[in-house]
């Protein structure tokens, strides 16, 4: 754990330090007769008490907190999470364990009340500066709840308050239902008769409360006949260190999660926004040896305990996944910085609990969810990570097995089965755990790392065994789908890469001579600029969807070449799916599942190439570095990408239709499935934000613009009218979808086209002019060929297209 010794002190130690309490702490409580009872009247002999940061008492059906006066006005972090939730809540994108809200709070004494108040560090100024008074006055924080003092402790050193009503009330700031959910599900109220406190547990540094709530809801996300939503919330209150860790300034050229503050005490002529990276507190145990460049153990290592529910056969892989990060920490000068341990037995530690914030745990969750998560709790004052629980859902390996089969099966014999060897599954799990621990160390996804490697190098056994398939484990580059049959000694699964060593060194190397975050900046910047823009050390979040070098699930530096290799492999895998699934199981369920996922893989390969069109490379630079932050993709590559999409996405995909598959998994959905996938990419290409970027090419001297793209796309999608061929069912569907999209660009209101991506006003841009002009051209071409074709369905389709075009153009006039 990365907690300081001060922050790890027990409540007993904290309360014994009353004599050294700072001036901001409340004065000692004194007995009063203002409705305050004696301690014995409130906390009776029947009370069940749980000592911790606060002592928690349960008396009959009431819960009481006994708050030491030394912990008033101390900073606590309050985290509200889903413990259990109904299926479909939030559209299915919310899982058990997901955080709903994190806020800093403090307990204050106001007359005869104890007040729970939120506290923000997003706006700050040093206490010594006059502007601090204005910051406090203009950032007054809300009160979550006010509690009557029920009693004083026996020695008058603590206040007893009844928290029952608070935890049984629908407090919006800690509720799992946000305003959108309440509106969508037509939530009317919390049902008091069906809501209760499930448990309250106190630990030396935190209190955990579980609330079982049922809301009346007219349209719940599941079990609609009940007219209710039931969920269990977990409220965590964590005592933060008295002295915050020295922060490290965030730099967007290196990937770290961060916290932001507005410093009104800055000497700049405006409020200065400061960002700090989120990281554990690692301090060398032997500072002199550390300064000499020797590997040194930290004062307090990061320790993860395995969930007792973890299957024995998986434990070695999980431990190895955690401790693999020690290789990167050695680059930062630490040895044994991160450890994985089995859960202690009752005899070894009777007080061990995964809910205790002093312990970080890799939780093994019995759930059909296919996911893993690496959340962490950090101090909003400094970015110090206090605790982290990695969550592994039982069914997650199924997703990896399926992707392994589909993406590597052509070149990798061990992937050609549902019964993937345990050695392979273990390696996958190890790397997933390493990835999730990376998040818990403060590292976000770095989608640019996979672009650092030459695409053809991924077909080299020598290269992939040493460097992996991406420069970091934090990219979504799970498998090597580029390697072809016959390539030797290939590594197919991702691994820790050179960027991971670089990022951990940048974030965790201790700088003993720097006495403030600002004093660290010259050293940190020098490390970044020493990489000289080497793509191996670049960071890209993948957000925005405009940078082809920063995409999820892509590998290699050439999306066209990588997707060509991937699609070539997929065409070899598709005919074998029945043999590798249904023949093994004598059941079609797995075949159905795998075929559906195969369509998804094909779609991803298409999407990687689509991003080249209107694409812009983003290179995070400071003004003292050479080059531009934004560079458009070369014109030739954009045009080549449209040709690739026409040949590999919009051409009729006969390779996907296998009677042994389609006639055994559905009765009539193959054509519709293909249509849906093709339309997704068509609409993506003809999106207003992509066309806006293409129009920008005109002023950036890139010889490929929105008109070039639409003209090239239209000619390819309607190629049959030039060749005289019959138009098959796939192409008829695609061409109708094209007309629908043109109608959208010509006749939809501008505001509806600007919801995502680059803002653009359709009514005042060239987009509408281009769409109209190309549609008029298409209308003339269709009229010229409609009498030539003898195929009846093709003739009907052309006539229908002409009617649709007429309606689109006339609707615009209206």
């Amino acid at each position: 754990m990365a907690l300081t010794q001060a922050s790890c002190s027990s409540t007993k130690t904290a309360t014994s330090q009353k004599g050294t309490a700072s001036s901001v702490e409340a004065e000692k409580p004194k007995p009063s007769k203002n409705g305050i009872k004696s301690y014995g009247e409130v906390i009776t002999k029947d009370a069940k008490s749980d000592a911790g940061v606060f002592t928690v008492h349960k008396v009959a059906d009431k819960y009481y907190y006994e708050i030491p006066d030394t912990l008033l006005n101390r900073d606590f972090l309050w985290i509200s999470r889903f413990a259990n939730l109904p299926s479909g809540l939030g559209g299915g994108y919310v899982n058990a364990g997901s955080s709903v809200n994190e806020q800093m709070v403090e307990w204050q004494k106001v007359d005869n009340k104890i007040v729970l108040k939120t506290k923000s560090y997003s706006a700050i100024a040093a206490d010594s500066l006059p502007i601090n008074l204005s910051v406090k006055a203009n950032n007054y924080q809300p009160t979550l709840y006010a509690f009557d003092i029920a009693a004083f402790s026996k020695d008058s050193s603590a206040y007893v308050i009844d928290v029952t009503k608070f935890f049984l009330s629908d407090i919006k700031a800690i509720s799992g239902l946000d305003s959108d959910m309440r509106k969508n599900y037509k939530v009317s109220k919390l049902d008091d008769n069906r809501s209760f406190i499930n448990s309250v547990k106190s630990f030396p540094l935190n209190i955990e409360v579980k609330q079982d709530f049922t809301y009346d809801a007219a349209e719940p996300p599941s079990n609609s006949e009940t007219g209710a939503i039931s969920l269990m919330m977990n409220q965590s209150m964590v005592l933060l260190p008295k002295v915050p860790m020295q922060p490290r300034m965030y730099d967007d050229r290196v990937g770290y999660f961060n916290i932001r503050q507005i410093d009104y005490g800055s000497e700049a002529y405006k409020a200065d926004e400061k960002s700090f990276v989120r990281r554990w507190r690692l301090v060398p145990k032997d500072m002199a040896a550390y300064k000499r460049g020797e590997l040194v153990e930290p004062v307090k290592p990061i320790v993860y305990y395995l969930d007792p529910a973890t299957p024995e056969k998986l434990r070695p892989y999980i431990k190895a996944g955690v401790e693999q990060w020690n290789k990167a920490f050695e680059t930062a000068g630490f040895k044994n910085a991160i450890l994985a341990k089995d859960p202690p037995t009752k005899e070894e530690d009777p007080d061990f609990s995964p809910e205790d914030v002093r312990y970080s745990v890799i939780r093994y969750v019995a759930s059909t969810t296919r996911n893993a998560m690496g959340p962490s709790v950090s101090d909003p004052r400094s970015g110090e990570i206090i605790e982290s629980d990695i969550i592994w859902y039982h069914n997650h390996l199924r997703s990896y097995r399926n992707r392994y089969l589909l993406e590597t099966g052509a070149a990798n014999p061990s992937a050609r089965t549902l019964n993937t060897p345990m050695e392979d599954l273990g390696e996958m799990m190890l790397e997933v755990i390493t990835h999730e621990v990376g998040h818990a160390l403060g590292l976000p996804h770095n989608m640019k790392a996979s672009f650092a490697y030459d695409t053809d190098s991924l077909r080299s056994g020598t290269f992939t065994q040493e460097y992996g398939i991406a420069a970091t484990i934090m990219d979504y580059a799970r498998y090597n789908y580029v390697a072809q049959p016959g390539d030797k000694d290939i590594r197919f699964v991702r691994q820790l890469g050179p960027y991971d060593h670089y990022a951990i060194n940048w974030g965790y190397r201790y700088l003993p001579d720097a006495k403030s975050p600002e004093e660290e900046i010259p050293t940190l910047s020098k490390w970044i600029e020493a990489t000289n823009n080497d793509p191996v050390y670049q960071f890209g979040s993948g957000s925005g969807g405009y940078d082809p070098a920063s995409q999820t699930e892509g590998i290699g530096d050439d999306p066209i070449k990588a997707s060509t290799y991937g699609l070539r492999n997929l065409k070899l895998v598709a005919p074998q799916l029945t043999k590798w699934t249904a023949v093994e199981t004598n059941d079609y369920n797995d075949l159905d599942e795998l075929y559906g996922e195969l369509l998804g893989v094909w779609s991803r390969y298409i999407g990687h190439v689509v991003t080249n069109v209107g694409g812009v490379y983003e290179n995070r630079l400071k003004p003292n570095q050479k080059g531009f932050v934004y560079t458009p993709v070369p014109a030739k590559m954009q045009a080549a990408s449209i040709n690739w999409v026409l040949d590999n996405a919009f051409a009729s995909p006969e390779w996907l239709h296998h009677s042994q598959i389609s006639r055994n998994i559905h009765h009539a959905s193959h054509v519709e499935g293909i249509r849906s996938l093709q339309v997704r990419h068509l609409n993506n290409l003809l999106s207003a934000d992509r066309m806006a970027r293409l129009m920008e090419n005109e002023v950036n001297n890139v010889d490929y613009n929105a008109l070039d793209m639409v003209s090239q796309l239209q000619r390819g999608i309607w190629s049959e009218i030039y060749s005289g061929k019959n138009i098959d069912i796939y192409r008829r569907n695609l061409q109708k979808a094209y007309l629908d999209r043109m109608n959208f660009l010509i006749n939809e209101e501008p505001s509806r086209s600007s919801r995502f991506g680059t803002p653009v006003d359709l009514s005042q841009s060239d987009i509408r002019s281009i769409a109209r002009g190309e549609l008029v051209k298409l209308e003339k071409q269709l009229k010229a060929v409609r009498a030539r074709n003898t195929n009846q369905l093709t003739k009907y389709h052309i006539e229908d297209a002409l009617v649709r075009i007429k309606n689109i153009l006339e609707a615009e006039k209206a």
Side-chain angles (χ1 to χ4, degrees):
M1 287 287 290
L3 298 173
T4 61
Q5 291 182 348
S7 69
C8 286
S9 60
S10 68
T11 303
K12 187 174 182 179
T13 303
T15 56
S16 70
Q17 295 174 338
K18 296 192 294 294
T20 61
S22 68
S23 59
V24 299
E25 292 172 337
E27 62 181 65
K28 300 284 183 63
K30 298 177 181 178
S32 171
K33 295 181 181 180
N34 298 328
I36 300 176
K37 298 179 179 180
S38 69
Y39 186 81
E41 287 180 281
V42 178
I43 308 303
T44 68
K45 60 181 176 59
D46 296 323
K48 296 178 180 178
S49 301
D50 185 14
V53 61
F54 299 165
T55 298
V56 173
H57 306 281
K58 184 179 183 185
V59 182
D61 59 350
K62 290 184 178 296
Y63 289 90
Y64 295 90
Y65 280 2
E66 187 172 327
I67 306 176
D69 66 284
T70 54
L71 293 181
L72 291 180
N73 303 308
R74 280 289 301 273
D75 292 335
F76 288 84
L77 189 63
W78 193 293
I79 309 108
S80 302
R81 295 190 186 95
F82 289 111
N84 293 296
L85 70 165
S87 63
L89 189 75
Y93 295 102
V94 180
N95 296 311
S98 297
S99 175
V100 174
N101 191 21
E102 291 188 14
Q103 55 195 322
M104 205 158 72
V105 300
E106 67 178 12
W107 299 85
Q108 300 175 357
K109 182 179 182 295
V110 180
D111 297 327
N112 288 325
K113 290 185 181 293
I114 297 296
V115 173
L116 178 61
K117 207 165 184 62
T118 62
K119 185 176 181 180
S120 173
Y121 268 84
S122 60
I124 62 168
D127 291 344
S128 60
L129 296 176
I131 198 173
N132 178 262
L133 298 173
S134 179
V135 170
K136 290 180 178 178
N138 289 284
N139 292 275
Y140 191 64
Q141 298 300 313
T143 298
L144 289 179
Y145 209 82
F147 304 84
D148 292 325
I149 298 173
F152 297 122
S153 63
K154 291 179 181 179
D155 63 357
S156 297
S157 67
Y159 305 89
V160 177
I161 60 172
D162 184 347
V163 296
T164 312
K165 186 177 178 181
F166 171 68
F167 284 116
L168 285 177
S169 299
D170 187 17
I171 309 293
K172 299 294 192 296
I174 62 174
S175 168
L177 297 181
D178 59 29
S179 57
D180 287 340
M181 288 183 185
R182 291 169 188 265
K183 181 179 178 181
N184 293 339
Y185 303 137
K186 294 183 169 52
V187 174
S188 56
K189 66 181 179 67
L190 179 70
D191 187 340
D192 296 337
N193 294 323
R194 290 186 286 173
S195 299
F196 53 91
I197 299 171
N198 190 284
S199 65
V200 183
K201 298 178 182 178
S202 189
F203 301 96
L205 291 174
N206 62 299
I207 295 179
E208 303 294 316
V209 179
K210 282 190 168 63
Q211 306 158 290
D212 204 313
F213 277 0
T214 294
Y215 294 86
D216 290 333
E219 297 182 9
S222 58
N223 301 306
S224 57
E225 66 280 357
T226 65
I229 295 175
S230 289
L231 52 85
M232 184 181 289
M233 292 298 299
N234 189 96
Q235 308 293 346
S236 299
M237 188 190 74
V238 181
L239 178 64
L240 294 174
K242 204 166 193 177
V243 179
M245 176 185 75
Q246 177 172 297
R248 178 156 292 182
M249 301 296 288
Y250 170 73
D251 191 312
D252 73 351
R253 295 173 293 176
V254 183
Y256 268 88
F257 294 122
N258 62 91
I259 60 169
R260 289 184 171 86
Q261 296 177 353
I262 303 295
D263 186 358
Y264 288 91
S266 168
E267 294 187 8
Y269 291 109
K270 64 178 180 66
D272 191 11
E273 181 173 284
K274 292 182 177 180
S275 296
F276 304 136
V277 302
R278 294 176 58 178
R279 59 185 184 138
W280 296 80
R281 188 189 302 218
L282 289 186
V283 179
K285 188 179 291 185
D286 184 340
M287 192 64 71
Y290 190 82
K291 287 183 176 181
R292 291 195 300 268
E294 298 174 23
L295 289 180
V296 174
E297 291 186 346
V299 172
K300 200 168 189 65
I302 304 164
V303 180
Y304 278 97
Y305 289 90
L306 271 60
D307 190 323
T310 307
E312 290 285 347
K313 68 178 181 179
L314 299 179
R315 292 188 179 194
Y317 300 109
I318 295 175
K319 289 179 181 178
V322 174
E323 296 185 349
Q324 187 172 205
W325 279 105
N326 276 319
K327 300 173 187 175
F329 277 112
E330 287 177 4
T331 305
F334 291 103
K335 65 179 179 180
N336 301 323
I338 185 166
L339 307 172
K341 297 183 178 182
D342 284 320
T345 64
K346 285 290 184 183
E347 293 72 27
E348 292 170 332
D349 186 353
D351 297 325
F352 175 82
S353 170
E355 295 178 286
D356 190 332
V357 77
R358 294 174 301 167
Y359 303 110
S360 291
V361 179
I362 299 178
R363 296 176 182 254
Y364 195 92
V365 180
S367 168
T368 58
T369 301
R370 297 190 190 181
N371 198 11
M373 299 167 60
S376 61
V377 174
S378 62
D379 187 337
R381 305 166 304 175
S382 65
E384 177 186 0
I385 296 174
I386 302 295
E387 180 265 353
S388 160
D389 284 347
I390 308 298
I391 302 172
W392 176 277
Y393 295 96
H394 179 71
N395 271 21
H396 197 36
L397 274 179
R398 186 179 183 92
S399 295
Y400 278 83
R401 178 205 66 181
N402 290 358
R403 292 275 300 273
Y404 191 56
L405 184 151
L406 294 170
E407 295 181 32
T408 77
N412 179 13
S414 69
R416 299 167 188 169
T417 176
L418 295 176
N419 298 311
T420 310
M422 190 60 221
E423 181 182 354
D424 292 16
L425 285 173
E427 175 66 13
M428 296 174 209
M429 187 174 202
L430 184 159
E431 303 301 346
V432 178
I433 291 294
T434 302
H435 176 96
E436 300 304 337
V437 171
H439 286 319
L441 296 174
L443 304 180
H445 291 129
N446 180 6
M447 302 306 183
K448 212 173 193 66
S450 52
F451 202 77
Y453 294 164
D454 175 77
T455 302
D456 280 321
S457 71
L458 302 175
R459 297 187 59 186
S460 163
T462 303
F463 182 89
T464 56
Q465 292 296 344
E466 181 173 357
Y467 298 105
I469 59 178
T472 175
I473 193 75
M474 301 313 297
D475 200 330
Y476 270 173
R478 304 172 206 264
Y479 294 117
N480 185 349
Y481 58 79
V482 163
Q484 298 293 291
D487 294 343
K488 303 295 184 183
D489 197 29
I490 297 296
R491 180 170 180 86
F492 290 100
V493 181
R494 60 183 170 176
Q495 66 180 27
L496 213 66
Y499 173 87
D500 301 307
H501 290 259
Y502 163 75
I504 290 296
N505 181 70
W506 187 92
Y508 281 92
R509 179 166 285 278
Y510 195 80
L511 300 176
D513 297 327
K515 305 306 179 186
S516 71
E518 289 75 15
E519 288 185 18
E520 292 186 341
I521 291 175
T523 299
L524 298 173
S525 294
K526 184 174 69 175
W527 290 345
I528 296 171
E529 288 153 19
T531 65
N532 198 28
N533 296 332
D534 186 332
V536 167
Y537 304 110
Q538 297 297 298
F539 172 71
S541 66
S543 62
Y546 55 80
D547 184 355
S550 186
Q551 301 195 72
T552 63
E553 313 289 356
I555 57 175
D557 65 350
D558 185 340
I560 294 178
K561 182 180 285 187
S563 290
T564 299
Y565 281 135
L567 186 54
R568 188 184 297 169
N569 283 337
L570 215 54
K571 289 180 178 180
L572 295 175
V573 167
Q576 303 299 322
L577 274 185
T578 300
K579 177 183 176 182
W580 296 347
T581 60
V583 171
E584 280 190 6
T585 64
N586 197 32
D587 191 286
Y588 289 118
N589 290 334
D590 289 295
L591 177 62
D592 191 3
E593 180 179 314
L594 266 292
Y595 183 76
E597 292 189 26
L598 182 142
L599 293 179
V601 174
W602 177 44
S603 181
R604 277 197 296 275
Y605 296 162
I606 296 168
H608 293 157
V609 178
V610 166
T611 308
N612 276 336
V613 184
V616 180
Y617 299 118
E618 180 184 33
N619 190 10
R620 301 181 181 212
L621 302 170
K622 295 289 187 184
N624 65 329
Q625 295 175 280
K626 294 180 180 179
F628 293 106
V629 174
Y630 299 105
T631 304
V633 172
K636 287 184 178 180
M637 183 170 288
Q638 296 194 50
S641 297
I642 287 291
N643 284 332
W644 189 95
V645 171
L646 288 169
D647 292 341
N648 296 282
F650 294 157
S652 298
E654 300 295 344
W655 65 274
L656 275 169
H657 187 264
H658 299 276
S659 296
Q660 282 297 319
I661 298 177
S662 62
R663 293 178 66 179
N664 284 314
I665 63 173
H666 57 73
H667 68 283
S669 62
H670 173 75
V671 173
E672 176 59 22
I674 300 301
R675 182 207 63 78
S676 176
L677 185 150
Q678 290 179 323
V679 169
R680 184 189 315 152
H681 293 293
L682 174 66
N683 290 347
N684 193 0
L685 279 167
L686 292 172
S687 63
D689 65 300
R690 187 179 308 279
M691 294 181 74
R693 295 197 297 275
L694 283 161
M695 291 186 295
E696 197 89 1
N697 284 347
E698 187 173 331
V699 297
N700 286 324
N701 299 316
V702 179
D703 193 21
Y704 190 83
N705 57 34
L707 175 57
D708 295 326
M709 189 269 285
V710 176
S711 179
Q712 185 182 1
L713 190 62
Q714 178 170 286
R715 186 173 182 86
I717 288 176
W718 294 88
S719 62
E720 291 89 348
I721 67 175
Y722 307 105
S723 66
K725 294 181 179 179
N726 293 334
I727 307 174
D728 68 29
I729 189 169
Y730 302 109
R731 300 282 289 176
R732 295 195 298 269
N733 286 345
L734 179 65
Q735 290 166 5
K736 288 181 174 71
Y738 177 85
L739 296 178
D740 283 348
R741 191 62 184 177
M742 297 301 272
N743 179 54
F744 174 86
L745 294 175
I746 292 173
N747 294 316
E748 292 292 341
E749 290 301 314
S751 60
R752 291 188 60 190
S753 67
S754 305
R755 290 175 295 173
F756 309 106
T758 308
V760 58
D761 187 331
L762 280 178
S763 67
Q764 296 179 18
S765 78
D766 284 337
I767 294 176
R768 197 155 278 176
S769 306
I770 292 169
R772 183 191 303 109
E774 288 299 299
L775 204 56
V776 169
K777 183 169 72 176
L778 177 62
E779 182 182 37
K780 292 177 181 177
Q781 291 166 337
L782 287 172
K783 285 179 178 178
V785 302
R786 61 181 170 182
R788 299 179 196 167
N789 205 295
T790 58
N791 180 270
Q792 196 64 40
L793 260 177
T794 299
K795 290 180 69 173
Y796 285 168
H797 171 66
I798 291 174
E799 291 292 343
D800 179 69
L802 285 167
V803 172
R804 289 172 184 247
I805 293 172
K806 180 182 177 182
N807 291 339
I808 292 169
L809 297 175
E810 288 182 352
E812 182 196 15
K813 296 174 185 177

